[in-house]
Amino acid sequence: QVQLVESGGGLVQAGGSLTLTCAASGHTFGQAAMAWFRQAPGKERELVAAINWSGFSRDYEDSVRGRFTISRDNDKNTVTLQMNMLIPGDTGTYYCNARKNPEWTAASLTDSWGQGTQVTVSS
C-alpha cells in the first residue's frame, strides 16, 4: 500500500495560485495512477485531476481545466497540483489518492488516501 501525505494548502485571494504536493511512500508508487480529489462543506468528494503511472496521460474536471496542472515525479515519489487563477468555488479539502492500477479510470480501485489539506479562496 502507498502512504500519502499532502502539503501546500492555505488561504489565498481569488486570482492567486497555490501548489499542492503529495509525498508518497511505498514501493508501488511508480506503478500507480494518482489523483487529486476535493470536498467542499456539504458536498460530495469530487475528482479534480488524475494522472497515469508515467505522467503522459492526464485528466481534469471541467471547471479546473486550463487553470490546474497535475504532474508527478516518480524518482521523488511526489505528485503535484499546480493551481492558478483560483476562484472561491475551488475552496475545499484536497485529498491525494493512489489507485491500484497504472492507468487512470474512474472505476479503478483506490489503494490509499491522504489525510487532506485545506484550500480556502477568498473573494
Side-chain angles (χ1 to χ4, degrees):
Q1 189 178 34
V2 178
Q3 289 78 47
L4 306 172
V5 178
E6 303 98 333
S7 62
L11 173 64
V12 63
Q13 288 188 331
S17 298
L18 281 175
T19 302
L20 304 184
T21 299
C22 174
S25 60
H27 69 283
T28 60
F29 174 80
Q31 304 165 31
M34 300 292 296
W36 286 95
F37 285 73
R38 69 185 177 192
Q39 188 166 20
K43 294 188 176 181
E44 294 186 355
R45 192 173 297 190
E46 65 174 359
L47 174 70
V48 175
I51 189 167
N52 77 330
W53 69 276
S54 67
F56 286 113
S57 178
R58 310 176 193 191
D59 193 18
Y60 296 94
E61 193 269 330
D62 286 345
S63 71
V64 309
R65 188 172 287 113
R67 300 188 296 121
F68 291 10
T69 301
I70 187 171
S71 60
R72 68 188 294 161
D73 186 331
N74 286 346
D75 291 331
K76 296 181 179 179
N77 279 14
T78 58
V79 179
T80 299
L81 186 67
Q82 176 65 44
M83 306 186 294
N84 299 324
M85 296 182 287
L86 285 159
I87 61 176
D90 295 321
T91 294
T93 302
Y94 283 68
Y95 297 90
C96 185
N97 173 260
R99 314 299 276 193
K100 289 184 179 291
N101 301 83
E103 298 297 332
W104 165 261
T105 68
S108 60
L109 297 177
T110 284
D111 178 274
S112 55
W113 290 96
Q115 83 287 351
T117 186
Q118 178 66 35
V119 171
T120 303
V121 184
S122 64
S123 57

